[in-house]
Amino acid sequence: MTDELFVRDNLPDFLRRFETDRDALTRALPPAFAPARPARPARLREFYGEWQTALDALDFDALTREGQADAALFRSLLRGEIDDLAIADRRRDETAALLPFAAAIADMDETRRAMTAPDPARCAETLHRLTEQIKALTKTVTDTSVVGTVTGERAARTIGEIRDVLGLWFRFFDAYDPLFTWWLREPYPLADTALADYAHALRGTTEGTPADDEHIVGDPIGADALLAALRGELIPYTPDELIAIGEREYAWCETEMIKAANELGFGGNWRDALEMVKTRHVAPGEQPALVRALADEAIAFVTDRDLVTVPPLAREIWRMTMMTPEWQKKNPFFLGGETIYVSFPTAEMSQERKRMSLRGNNRHFARATVQHELIPGHHLQLFMAQRYRTHRRIFDTPFYLEGWAIHWEFLLWDSGFAASPEDRIGMLFWRMHRCVRVAFSLRYHLGQLTASECVEMLVERVGHERENALAEVRRSLSDDYPPLYQAAYLLGGLQMRALYRELAGSGRLTPRAFHDAVLQSNSVPIALLRTELMGLPIPRDLSDLNWRFYDPNEEIEKEA
């Protein structure tokens, strides 16, 4: 890395170059599944160290305020990337004994990467030997305590990576090298099948039989890693403090639920009122029309009150698609952005799954989620992120992403968006869900809850249909989301609400000016967003920020 590669007075270009270089390097590096092959983590550590050196060479005090914020964020990002490599190293080492064949397959992949001709006869013998070794491991592992555990699931996922790499290796030479094809046409599929069977054994399943839907295995990160992740997100609270915040917010939700249940004649029994609301769904085939009407209603609500700028193009380009039954096993409700993905029963589903999907996507629940996914929620947010400070996309944080949408749920509640008790129950259901997400996700990663106990918590405390609770936990604990993602909904929303009260509630900014400024900042931790919007000094090291955004003595709701 040389100085002339960088435009030192242009931080956006500096950061875009890092993103481009990082993506190119990670695509080119060999896989990291073999503990004896440290090339990937070692090269990435070297790469991040080079960028730390380049960042240190910048004159922080000479940068603009925005440049200082970007430089401080970049320093935090590099620190987090290096921490993540250490966690990956530890996890890889913990599964090494279950994957003794990984290094040999990594060696074979090196021939493809080096674009050198393999020795087909030797490769065939190697695969035959590995196949026998893997079959023996499969027989052994069924008698051990590793089956169905976190370690077993982690090893099974790694086997998926190994199969992908082995498949790329085989297809690279197959049919292009006649001798390779002659030797490997039989050993390769046998090795691939053995790997698949081994992964099934580690999960406690068999070929063609899906894992028990009730059996969800995640990968808790532990207390130390959880605290490090909170520091990286500039959250100056312990997990126990955050769980207590979630419980206080939950208690407020339960009080409001009881009020709505009284209005509906249920004598304060909010669970019975919730069950009634779940029956208020449209007929099969009518959900797209409902979503369209709810989207138009939310757009009109925020624009009529001049709460945020909604560009005409953002209104024009959003689209809708329906989720497949398989996808709904992990996403039982809506997902969104420029396209809103709608969950609703399909003909292929069992009668029980159809019933739960209908009840879980009733018109009052949907009214609270459509605006979350489209406008003023994620679609508007992502639309603006593609047009303002685009270099900040590398600082992606769920506290900003989900905090924006949850802030709107708070603000719409304050503004009377939920006029009927049924609509209030619909909004409160999701708000209770966000509160419980804090507790179950943090406690899971602390080792205090199992996945099945997380499911029970959603059923008992929020009122989820069991199938939908299973899907939520399956998605929450998958490796598709970082450990803090589920807690970030409520906590990011509370951060955004606190900042809104400081700026718009005090009259320093109008609601529209506040929301436009947040959207144009792009993705940053909300503690830093506060520092920028309030004109406070920006520290070189963001760990110096210590914003305690939640006042337990303050009213949870105020008039908008």
Side-chain angles (χ1 to χ4, degrees), residues 162-173:
I162 293 172
R163 291 181 67 195
D164 289 343
V165 167
L166 188 61
L168 285 171
W169 171 82
F170 177 74
R171 290 187 293 275
F172 185 86
F173 297 107

Side-chain angles (χ1 to χ4, degrees), residues 281-328:
H281 52 74
V282 297
E286 296 180 6
Q287 192 79 337
L290 173 65
V291 171
R292 173 87 237 188
L294 293 174
D296 291 341
E297 177 191 24
I299 293 169
F301 191 92
V302 299
T303 53
D304 289 350
R305 288 158 179 77
D306 200 31
L307 294 177
V308 65
T309 298
V310 181
L313 186 62
R315 303 187 196 197
E316 178 183 344
I317 64 173
W318 73 267
R319 301 176 300 284
M320 186 189 316
T321 193
M322 307 300 288
M323 287 198 208
T324 65
E326 189 62 29
W327 201 1
Q328 290 184 56

